[in-house]
Amino acid sequence: MCEGDSRLQRHYEAQLVFKGTSSTIQNELLDCMYEVYREEIAKQVDNTSFVAVQADETTDVSCKSQMVIVLRYIMPDLTVTERFLEFVEVKDKTGVGLSNSIKAVLEPLKLKEKLIAQTYDGAAVMSGNVRGVQTVMKETYPNAQFVHCYAHQLNLTLQQLCSARMSILKVFFADLTAFFHFFSPVLQNVLQLLQRQHRDAYHGHRL
C-alpha cells in the first residue's frame, strides 16, 4: 500500500512500534479499503442509467468454489467503466443457487430497472432457458438481456478448431477435461472425509 501513497509511507516509516505486518491487521486494512471502494462504486452506479453484470464461477486450489461478480456501466462523461464487485463462495451450484448469490450482491445497489444486460459462459446452468441463471435473474431484473461471454466463445472456438484439425490436441483437451471432472470438489470432499476417518482409526489403534 505504501508504494502508491507517499503520505502513508512516511507515516509507516516514522512509527517505532506499530508496523501493521500481522495478517489480522492487514486483513482489517484491506476490509476498510474495500468498504470505501464499494461506497464509491455505489455512488457511480447511482449516477448511471444502465448497468450490466458479469459473473463466472471456478474452483480454486483449495477446492472452494468461488464466483467473481463484475459490473460494467457508463459514466456521465460516456466513459465505459468495468469494476470488480465481489468474490462469492458458492455452496449451491444450481441455477437458482448461483442466481441467489448474484442477487444478494446486487440487491443493495437497487438495480431493478437499470440492469439491462447479464453475461456468463455458455454452460447450461448459466445460460439455460428453463432454470439457468440468466432465466432466473430475469424474474427479478426483467430488462437484463443475456449475452454469451465473447471470451468464452473464442476459447470454445479455438478449442474445437484445434481438436478437429489435430488428433493429438483432441486427446490433450479431452485429458484436461477429464482431470477437471476427476478432481471435482465433490470428490475432494469424499477423499478428505476418508483421509480423516483413516487418520482417526490409526490414532485409535495406537491408543
Side-chain angles (χ1 to χ4, degrees):
M1 290 184 289
C2 292
E3 293 180 358
D5 192 329
S6 58
R7 290 181 299 176
L8 179 61
Q9 185 172 8
R10 289 195 298 270
H11 174 74
Y12 176 78
E13 292 174 348
Q15 294 298 315
L16 300 177
V17 179
F18 174 77
K19 292 298 182 182
T21 55
S22 73
S23 59
T24 301
I25 293 177
Q26 290 181 358
N27 287 335
E28 290 178 353
L29 290 173
L30 290 172
D31 287 339
C32 292
M33 294 165 60
Y34 180 62
E35 286 300 318
V36 174
Y37 173 79
R38 284 292 298 263
E39 290 176 2
E40 181 61 26
I41 288 182
K43 292 178 183 178
Q44 293 181 358
V45 169
D46 190 53
N47 292 325
T48 190
S49 300
F50 306 109
V51 180
V53 63
Q54 305 172 57
D56 195 15
E57 178 271 330
T58 189
T59 303
D60 62 17
V61 293
S62 63
C63 296
K64 288 185 178 180
S65 181
Q66 296 190 61
M67 180 166 58
V68 61
I69 299 177
V70 176
L71 294 183
R72 188 177 176 88
Y73 48 90
I74 300 177
M75 299 290 285
D77 61 357
L78 302 183
T79 302
V80 178
T81 303
E82 189 171 280
R83 292 284 184 264
F84 161 80
L85 186 60
E86 190 168 334
F87 274 121
V88 180
E89 185 175 351
V90 177
K91 300 294 185 182
D92 184 353
K93 290 188 177 183
T94 64
V96 174
L98 293 171
S99 300
N100 289 338
S101 297
I102 297 174
K103 290 178 182 179
V105 175
L106 298 182
E107 185 177 4
L109 299 176
K110 297 179 174 58
L111 303 176
K112 180 71 174 181
E113 304 298 331
K114 292 183 178 182
L115 193 68
I116 62 169
Q118 48 179 327
T119 301
Y120 319 116
D121 60 28
V125 71
M126 303 300 289
S127 61
N129 293 323
V130 181
R131 297 303 289 170
V133 171
Q134 64 105 355
T135 303
V136 179
M137 285 290 291
K138 284 186 178 180
E139 297 173 359
T140 304
Y141 302 98
N143 298 328
Q145 300 302 311
F146 171 64
V147 180
H148 192 300
C149 175
Y150 286 106
H152 284 86
Q153 285 184 336
L154 177 60
N155 180 69
L156 290 173
T157 300
L158 293 175
Q159 179 177 331
Q160 292 176 7
L161 177 63
C162 292
S163 298
R165 294 292 181 180
M166 300 180 64
S167 59
I168 189 172
L169 288 178
K170 185 175 182 179
V171 173
F172 171 74
F173 285 120
D175 288 342
L176 285 182
T177 303
F179 284 138
F180 171 78
H181 289 295
F182 182 79
F183 293 102
S184 65
V186 175
L187 178 60
Q188 288 290 336
N189 291 334
V190 173
L191 291 175
Q192 290 175 1
L193 176 61
L194 292 174
Q195 185 181 30
R196 286 195 297 269
Q197 292 176 346
H198 178 74
R199 183 176 62 248
D200 293 342
Y202 174 75
H203 289 302
H205 176 71
R206 291 187 62 185
L207 294 175

